[in-house]
Amino acid sequence: MKRAHRTAHARIWTILGILLPLAFFTVLALRQTPPADRPAILIEAPASDANGTEAAQ
């Protein structure tokens, strides 16, 4: 009984040790990446009135 338990334990951990990294790297490989040719969007400071305070919106 003890030997069968050790064999099953070793097989399960061997399979997990192979399948988990394989699944992880597969997900990384299939993940969509954003397009590289997308133009940058300029983020500007909010508009302010003449005396230097922000305009109420």
Side-chain angles (χ1 to χ4, degrees):
M1 181 73 181
K2 207 171 199 183
R3 178 121 170 104
H5 175 73
R6 286 185 189 175
T7 304
H9 190 266
R11 285 183 184 160
I12 290 170
W13 280 108
T14 302
I15 291 170
L16 285 176
I18 293 169
L19 289 181
L20 288 177
L22 185 63
F24 177 73
F25 289 120
T26 302
V27 168
L28 285 180
L30 295 176
R31 188 178 63 171
Q32 293 182 356
T33 57
D37 58 348
R38 185 185 314 175
I41 299 173
L42 180 63
I43 300 175
E44 298 178 7
S48 59
D49 59 8
N51 61 3
T53 60
E54 289 187 23
Q57 293 183 6

